[in-house]
Every structure is written in structure tokens, then in C-alpha cells.
Amino acid sequence: MSQPDVLNQAFELGFTYTRSTGPVIGRFFTELRNRNIVGIKASDGRVVVPPMEYDPDTAEELSEFVEVGQQGEIVSFAWVKEPREAHPMDVPFAWAMIKLDGADVPMVHCIAAANESAVATGARVQVVWADETIGYITDIRCFELL
Amino acid sequence: MKDIAIVAYQQSDGVSDAGAVNEVELIMPVLDRTFEQARLDSAQDVDFVCSGSCDYLQGAAFAFVAGVDALGAVPPIKESHVEMDAAWALYESILKIRMGHADSALIYGFGKSSPGELPIVLSQQLDPYYLAPQWVDSISLAAMQARLMLDQGLITERDMAEVVSRSRRNARSNPHAQLAGDVSPEDVLAQETYLSPLRKADCCPVSDGASAVVIATVEKAKEWGLPYAIISGIDHRIETHNLGMRDLTDSVSTRTAAEHAGMHDGKVDVAELYAPFSHQEIILTRALGLGEETSINPSGGVLAGNLMMASGLSRIGEVFNRIVSGEAQRGVAHTTSGPCLQHNLVTVLEKA
């Protein structure tokens, strides 16, 4: 008796739908793809980058976009001596809260630096763009010290 | 409104790697001891069961359902689950009793964090567009919070080392502690930085384990003839997911929760604070306005062992232990969730 044929079906584990990022996050990502950075004005006028859909204090829907700079200042940082496999760099680097010029609220991203002593609170940094921008937060590959 | 009391609390030993022991096997011995303490035969003897765990730790959707195997759910029981620390399962159980749908409840939490890379697993609880794709780990976020405090002169590295030293010392009398011993602040400061400005000792360890609590109306607790502590207040508050918009040097949500839980209505003899990082214990102590008269983390807190999804419930249990033993008249238990103390629950317990 011959071996019965094994039933076979290709299967890819993943979501079978795409999700719209909406008018606020979508706008931010579209701008990133074009190598621009935009924030949004919160209820109290503070410029929030990356933009939020709603004000966390008043719950007001936000819509007033503001273009911000591609340089900024380190508000705080953590020095990663031993990067993890999932981390964006495989050499020591810093995670940082960076307040971009024209923004009032810092954003979290990574900084490429030669060593820990090169990084300091208050130091100036600028965006390094990915070779190809596709509308992801990782279009900003990292920041580098000025 | 019926007063609600805690009548039993048990926790497993915190271990860095439970090996081949699975989640159900972590939970079952704790439940056995809890039933024994509450003089119950099984989960059939309470009106409601609620658990807290995180499917991301097991890496499978609905993994928590397997935890129910630890109960023996036949004949059927009334059961619920929160994808949160089990302290929030206790909160849900209180609501269930307040609504008149139950007079007693069993609450348990469990986590086996060792198989994964916990700080990276926790990165996936962050903003799914702006942060999770960057895989920002939980320790790095806490390190940035600590640096903000150091830069602003709100704490010193020595203050942080003193928190670690006291935790290790207190943990010597906690049989379930994972890290305990005589460690001086100087010993801590002599360590090199791990994720600067944090040293390894500033960070809670990765632990596997479970804990459980039984609560009941005071009438039921009396009927059972068990020693109990009354839950006089409970409240939880959350802050925005945007870390940049929070004052990370303070815990506004903890303060608000404590006010609404009535913490300030009397003296606080003991406080168990869920501070996974040394500087966060200082933030919480200040937000709660605790002073010299309060014994803080007599169990050693989570720096001595951090059972993900159970340690918050254990904080409540530890205060319960201090009250029924007569060491304290009144205490506060704090639980946290999310990055840099984003979401906080405060429970006030009092002697009967």
C-alpha cells in the first residue's frame, strides 16, 4: 500500500488585514517618509512630537500640525553598554528623550555615540535618516551628536 | 456597603528560573496553601475566582486559560481574568462583591518570566507606533527616569544605593525573597553601572512564581472564624502613554489614587511599594507623603524578587500579614504597571 498523500497548505502567520494609522499618526509617518518631522499642538499650546490624536489632559481631539526642527536637545538618556538583539544598534548606544527645536515635549529615540562620556544632558543632536524611508518611526535611524 | 476583608495570602519562593515547572505547577502549591490557610477545600468554596497574568510572558494568545487548570474548574465556577497584575484582579473581585454577586473570592497571579527576555517583552506594551517598533526596553526607560531625577538634584546615587541596601536587609526575614543579605550602600556604589545611570542592584531581578489571596465580606470572614484585615480603600489611576508628557520625577497618579483610597485618613504603619527600580521607591514614598513613622517594604519589596503579574497582589498580602500578626494597625499597598510607574493602584488595609 502506497503512502497516502499528505494534505498540504501554505500558511503565513500574520494579520490578514492592514490598519489605517489615521489622520494624525498617518500624517506624521507620511511626513517622515518625506524626511520632515511634524508635531501637533496640545490643548495648552505645547507642541507634541510625535503627534498625539487626543490631549491627555483634556481629551480634546488635536489637529493643528506644526513642523519642527531636525535638531534638538537631550533631556535625559540611558547608556546601553550591551545592546540586546532586538535593539536598533549592535554597538553601545544611548536611548534618549530628545526635545526637537520647536517642540515642547521630548520624544524617545536612540543616539549613536562613540562612548558614554560623549553623551550629556543638554547636548545637541540631529536626525540621521534611514537610507530608505517608508513611513515608519524607524525612518529616523537614530540621532547623532552635533 | 459591606466591608470586605482579606483572610488568606500565600506566595511561592521567587526563583530566577523555575526550570521545567510550568505555570500551572507554579500556581497549584500556592493555591493548596491558600486553601489550607482559609480552611477551604477548593475553588468550589468561594463565589468568584479572578486571576492576573500576561500572555506575552508565555508568548501565546489565551495562555492564561491554561492557568485555570490549577483550580479544577469542574463543576463550573464563576471565573474572570485580567491581563494585568493580580492586584487588579483583586480590584475586580471587590467590585463583584460590592455589586452583590459574591461574598467571597479567590485571587491569584502568576508569571514565568525566565524563558523570555523580559525587558524586551515589556517593550511591546508601549505605544505600538512610536515606541514598540524601536524595542525600547523597560530598564532603559527607567534609567532615563533616574537620570532626570539625578540631573535635577532630586536624588543622589547614594539615596538609590540606600534603598537597595535596606531592601536586601529587610528581605533576610522574608522566606520567599530571591535576593537578600547584608549589602551596604558602599557595596552597591562600588558596582559598575549596568545601564547607566542604573547599576544592576538598582533593578529588580527577573523572577518566576505565583501568589494568591482570599477575600470575603466581613460577615463571611467571621462565619469562617478566620483572622482578617479590612480593605478600607482601593483606587487606581493611570497617566498618559506619552512618556514625554509626564513628569517622570513624580507619580501624580499614585498620589491621586492614595487620596481617593483614603490613605491620609489615619496613620500608616507599614507600606509595601511596587518599585521595580530603586529610584522609583523614592518617587513613590514622596508621592504618598510617607515619613519616619512608616516602615517601608519590610518584605524587601520587588527589588528582592519581582513576580510579574503577582508581585502587586503580594504587596497587598504582605501588608495583610503585618496587620494580622499585630505588627501594624494600618497599612498601604501600592501596585504599578506600565513603563516608569504609568499606572498605579493603592490599597489601604486596617486592623479589624
Side-chain angles (χ1 to χ4, degrees), chain B residues 157 160-162 164-165 168 183-192 199 201-202:
Chain B
E157 292 188 27
M160 294 164 68
E162 279 170 1
V164 176
S165 172
R168 296 280 197 278
V183 180
S184 70
E186 290 73 22
D187 294 336
V188 175
L189 291 170
Q191 284 184 8
E192 61 173 329
R199 293 172 171 81
D202 291 311

Short mmCIF file of all heavy atoms in Angstrom, two decimals, chain B residues 157 160-162 164-165 168 183-192 199 201-202:
data_model
loop_
_atom_site.label_atom_id
_atom_site.label_comp_id
_atom_site.label_asym_id
_atom_site.label_seq_id
_atom_site.Cartn_x
_atom_site.Cartn_y
_atom_site.Cartn_z
N GLU B 157 22.92 59.15 43.80
CA GLU B 157 23.15 57.72 43.60
C GLU B 157 23.21 57.01 44.96
O GLU B 157 22.84 55.85 45.08
CB GLU B 157 24.43 57.48 42.79
CG GLU B 157 24.27 57.97 41.35
CD GLU B 157 25.44 57.59 40.45
OE1 GLU B 157 26.10 56.57 40.71
OE2 GLU B 157 25.67 58.33 39.47
N MET B 160 19.80 56.08 46.14
CA MET B 160 19.35 54.86 45.45
C MET B 160 20.00 53.63 46.09
O MET B 160 19.33 52.62 46.33
CB MET B 160 19.70 54.95 43.97
CG MET B 160 18.94 56.06 43.23
SD MET B 160 19.67 56.47 41.61
CE MET B 160 19.33 54.99 40.66
N ALA B 161 21.29 53.73 46.37
CA ALA B 161 22.02 52.60 46.97
C ALA B 161 21.46 52.26 48.35
O ALA B 161 21.42 51.09 48.74
CB ALA B 161 23.51 52.92 47.04
N GLU B 162 21.01 53.28 49.07
CA GLU B 162 20.44 53.03 50.40
C GLU B 162 19.12 52.26 50.31
O GLU B 162 18.83 51.43 51.16
CB GLU B 162 20.27 54.35 51.16
CG GLU B 162 21.60 54.80 51.76
CD GLU B 162 21.58 56.22 52.33
OE1 GLU B 162 20.52 56.87 52.28
OE2 GLU B 162 22.65 56.65 52.81
N VAL B 164 18.44 50.07 47.99
CA VAL B 164 18.85 48.68 47.69
C VAL B 164 19.32 47.99 48.97
O VAL B 164 18.91 46.86 49.27
CB VAL B 164 19.97 48.66 46.63
CG1 VAL B 164 20.46 47.23 46.41
CG2 VAL B 164 19.49 49.28 45.33
N SER B 165 20.16 48.68 49.74
CA SER B 165 20.72 48.10 50.95
C SER B 165 19.61 47.72 51.93
O SER B 165 19.61 46.61 52.49
CB SER B 165 21.67 49.13 51.58
OG SER B 165 22.10 48.68 52.83
N ARG B 168 17.58 44.60 50.63
CA ARG B 168 18.30 43.33 50.83
C ARG B 168 18.28 42.92 52.31
O ARG B 168 18.12 41.76 52.64
CB ARG B 168 19.76 43.46 50.38
CG ARG B 168 19.95 43.71 48.92
CD ARG B 168 19.84 42.43 48.10
NE ARG B 168 20.43 42.65 46.79
CZ ARG B 168 19.79 43.22 45.77
NH1 ARG B 168 18.54 43.58 45.90
NH2 ARG B 168 20.41 43.41 44.61
N VAL B 183 24.10 44.03 52.36
CA VAL B 183 24.76 44.77 51.28
C VAL B 183 24.74 46.23 51.69
O VAL B 183 23.67 46.81 51.87
CB VAL B 183 24.00 44.59 49.94
CG1 VAL B 183 24.67 45.36 48.83
CG2 VAL B 183 23.88 43.12 49.58
N SER B 184 25.90 46.81 51.88
CA SER B 184 25.94 48.22 52.31
C SER B 184 25.77 49.12 51.09
O SER B 184 26.01 48.71 49.96
CB SER B 184 27.27 48.52 52.99
OG SER B 184 28.29 48.50 52.02
N PRO B 185 25.35 50.36 51.32
CA PRO B 185 25.27 51.31 50.20
C PRO B 185 26.62 51.44 49.48
O PRO B 185 26.65 51.57 48.25
CB PRO B 185 24.87 52.63 50.88
CG PRO B 185 24.19 52.23 52.14
CD PRO B 185 24.85 50.95 52.58
N GLU B 186 27.70 51.33 50.25
CA GLU B 186 29.03 51.43 49.64
C GLU B 186 29.26 50.26 48.68
O GLU B 186 29.85 50.42 47.60
CB GLU B 186 30.14 51.44 50.71
CG GLU B 186 30.21 52.72 51.54
CD GLU B 186 29.07 52.86 52.55
OE1 GLU B 186 28.47 51.82 52.93
OE2 GLU B 186 28.77 53.99 52.97
N ASP B 187 28.80 49.06 49.10
CA ASP B 187 28.93 47.89 48.22
C ASP B 187 28.21 48.14 46.90
O ASP B 187 28.70 47.79 45.83
CB ASP B 187 28.30 46.64 48.88
CG ASP B 187 29.04 46.20 50.13
OD1 ASP B 187 30.24 46.54 50.25
OD2 ASP B 187 28.41 45.53 50.97
N VAL B 188 27.00 48.72 46.99
CA VAL B 188 26.22 48.98 45.78
C VAL B 188 26.95 50.00 44.91
O VAL B 188 27.13 49.80 43.71
CB VAL B 188 24.80 49.48 46.13
CG1 VAL B 188 24.05 49.87 44.87
CG2 VAL B 188 24.04 48.42 46.92
N LEU B 189 27.41 51.08 45.54
CA LEU B 189 28.07 52.16 44.78
C LEU B 189 29.37 51.68 44.15
O LEU B 189 29.81 52.24 43.13
CB LEU B 189 28.32 53.37 45.68
CG LEU B 189 27.04 54.11 46.11
CD1 LEU B 189 27.35 55.13 47.19
CD2 LEU B 189 26.37 54.79 44.91
N ALA B 190 29.96 50.62 44.72
CA ALA B 190 31.21 50.11 44.16
C ALA B 190 30.98 49.31 42.87
O ALA B 190 31.91 49.08 42.10
CB ALA B 190 31.92 49.23 45.20
N GLN B 191 29.71 48.91 42.66
CA GLN B 191 29.41 48.19 41.41
C GLN B 191 29.53 49.14 40.22
O GLN B 191 29.21 50.32 40.33
CB GLN B 191 27.95 47.69 41.42
CG GLN B 191 27.69 46.49 42.27
CD GLN B 191 26.22 46.03 42.11
OE1 GLN B 191 25.48 46.51 41.28
NE2 GLN B 191 25.85 45.09 42.96
N GLU B 192 29.94 48.61 39.07
CA GLU B 192 29.95 49.45 37.87
C GLU B 192 28.52 49.63 37.39
O GLU B 192 27.63 48.86 37.77
CB GLU B 192 30.83 48.83 36.79
CG GLU B 192 30.37 47.48 36.32
CD GLU B 192 31.19 46.99 35.14
OE1 GLU B 192 31.65 47.82 34.35
OE2 GLU B 192 31.35 45.77 35.02
N ARG B 199 22.69 50.78 38.22
CA ARG B 199 23.51 49.61 38.47
C ARG B 199 22.58 48.41 38.49
O ARG B 199 21.37 48.57 38.67
CB ARG B 199 24.24 49.75 39.81
CG ARG B 199 25.28 50.84 39.81
CD ARG B 199 25.85 51.09 41.19
NE ARG B 199 26.99 51.98 41.11
CZ ARG B 199 26.91 53.31 41.02
NH1 ARG B 199 25.73 53.90 41.01
NH2 ARG B 199 28.01 54.05 40.94
N ALA B 201 22.07 46.35 40.77
CA ALA B 201 21.37 46.27 42.06
C ALA B 201 20.19 47.24 42.14
O ALA B 201 19.29 47.07 42.96
CB ALA B 201 22.34 46.54 43.20
N ASP B 202 20.19 48.27 41.30
CA ASP B 202 19.06 49.22 41.28
C ASP B 202 17.83 48.62 40.61
O ASP B 202 16.74 49.20 40.68
CB ASP B 202 19.43 50.50 40.53
CG ASP B 202 20.46 51.33 41.27
OD1 ASP B 202 20.25 51.57 42.47
OD2 ASP B 202 21.46 51.73 40.64
#
